[in-house]
Amino acid sequence: MDTQNYLQDLKEIKELMNKSTLFISLSGLSGILAGIYALIGAAVVYYLIENHEGYYITLESKTFKLIVLTAMVVLLASLVTAYVMTVNKATKAGEKMWNSASKRLLINFLIPLITGGIFALLLLRNGSYGLVAPVTLIFYGLACVNASKYTLRDVRYLGITEIILGLLAVEFSGYGLYFWVLGFGVCHIVYGSLMHFKYDRK
């Protein structure tokens, strides 16, 4: 009996330590919606590219500005959805949205992500359009891997998948949009679905 009580106490201590060091209120449904937003955005970008007048899309062209606007709308919609649904899940679980774990998660996620965003903008400025999709996938993957230390480890596998897709997109240049669809669209939907059925429905 004493041994069972001792093991139970250890289990409870471990759970308390995990709650204090890991942010576990990420919403699987927000991942699914982010993937859907990405697929819609990719369809819009594909339409814009196919209907662009002229051979090259320059930084000054209307098509490029619409592509950037589409990407910003997708990013904003994904961030707002993730925030709202994560706050809702945290509230239901009795967990604070902003604590030491969530702050560490955000910082470690944003460092690679912002670095990749700046890198992508520099590539655009120098006309290296073909590397933008691979770079965004790779740095987003690195951001997920880096942040996975402070949340559910499933995020790590999403990050590794994104990195692999980014590297493949470099090798198969010219198919960046398709790899972008796979990485930000399909992978998010699959990952979000797994997270939802694994954690959210409990």
Side-chain angles (χ1 to χ4, degrees):
M1 182 67 71
D2 291 338
T3 302
Q4 290 180 347
N5 291 335
Y6 177 71
L7 292 175
Q8 182 64 29
D9 289 341
L10 286 178
K11 183 178 178 181
E12 291 177 357
I13 291 172
K14 183 178 179 180
E15 289 177 352
L16 287 172
M17 289 179 66
N18 283 336
K19 287 182 178 180
S20 64
T21 58
L22 300 179
F23 184 72
I24 58 175
S25 291
L26 295 179
S27 170
L29 287 177
S30 66
I32 296 173
L33 290 173
I36 293 173
Y37 299 155
L39 292 179
I40 295 172
V44 172
V45 170
Y46 181 80
Y47 173 82
L48 291 172
I49 293 174
E50 287 296 307
N51 290 274
H52 174 70
E53 294 182 2
Y55 189 75
Y56 293 106
I57 298 176
T58 62
L59 296 179
E60 295 78 19
S61 66
K62 180 181 178 181
T63 299
F64 177 78
K65 293 176 182 177
L66 288 174
I67 290 173
V68 172
L69 177 62
T70 301
M72 294 301 295
V73 169
V74 170
L75 176 61
L76 182 61
S78 299
L79 291 175
V80 170
T81 300
Y83 177 78
V84 171
M85 299 192 76
T86 299
V87 168
N88 185 51
K89 184 178 177 182
T91 302
K92 288 182 178 179
E95 181 180 359
K96 291 183 179 180
M97 175 63 183
W98 294 113
N99 53 33
S100 58
S102 61
K103 290 176 183 177
R104 287 194 297 268
L105 167 65
L106 186 62
I107 291 171
N108 282 272
F109 181 74
L110 287 179
I111 291 174
L113 192 69
I114 292 175
T115 302
I118 295 172
F119 189 21
L121 290 174
L122 292 173
L123 289 173
L124 286 172
R125 183 179 178 183
N126 288 279
S128 301
Y129 306 115
L131 290 175
V132 173
V135 162
T136 53
L137 285 167
I138 290 171
F139 276 91
Y140 177 69
L142 291 172
C144 289
V145 171
N146 204 39
S148 66
K149 295 177 288 186
Y150 304 100
T151 186
L152 302 169
R153 289 191 60 83
D154 304 70
V155 176
R156 181 181 182 86
Y157 304 123
L158 172 65
I160 293 172
T161 304
E162 300 286 353
I163 292 171
I164 292 172
L165 287 173
L167 294 174
L168 288 172
V170 176
E171 177 64 23
F172 298 99
S173 59
Y175 296 92
L177 182 61
Y178 299 101
F179 282 102
W180 202 89
V181 167
L182 281 174
F184 291 109
V186 177
C187 283
H188 269 145
I189 292 174
V190 172
Y191 160 77
S193 299
L194 291 174
M195 292 287 286
H196 176 68
F197 288 105
K198 188 175 181 181
Y199 301 106
D200 295 358
R201 297 185 66 184
K202 289 184 177 180

